[in-house]
Amino acid sequence: MGRILWIILVVILAVWVIGFLLDVAGGLIHILLIIAAIVLIVNLVTGRKGV
């Protein structure tokens, strides 16, 4: 599950960078960036537990 979250994070960040450079759908891109940040935080908090 954690790997899927990282893939989603990378895709959203890539779309954000493209949108930032091309100035496409400014508001939507920033919302996606916030979602990516939330996914990153959730993944860090609920990440792998030590054995």
Side-chain angles (χ1 to χ4, degrees):
M1 181 68 174
R3 184 160 175 84
I4 294 172
L5 291 176
W6 280 109
I7 292 171
I8 292 170
L9 176 71
V10 170
V11 169
I12 290 175
L13 287 175
V15 169
W16 175 74
V17 169
I18 291 169
F20 183 74
L21 294 175
L22 299 177
D23 196 29
V24 176
L28 179 63
I29 299 302
H30 292 291
I31 291 171
L32 291 175
L33 179 61
I34 292 169
I35 293 170
I38 291 170
V39 168
L40 174 65
I41 292 169
V42 168
N43 193 23
L44 290 175
V45 170
T46 62
R48 295 183 184 165
K49 307 285 188 230
V51 175

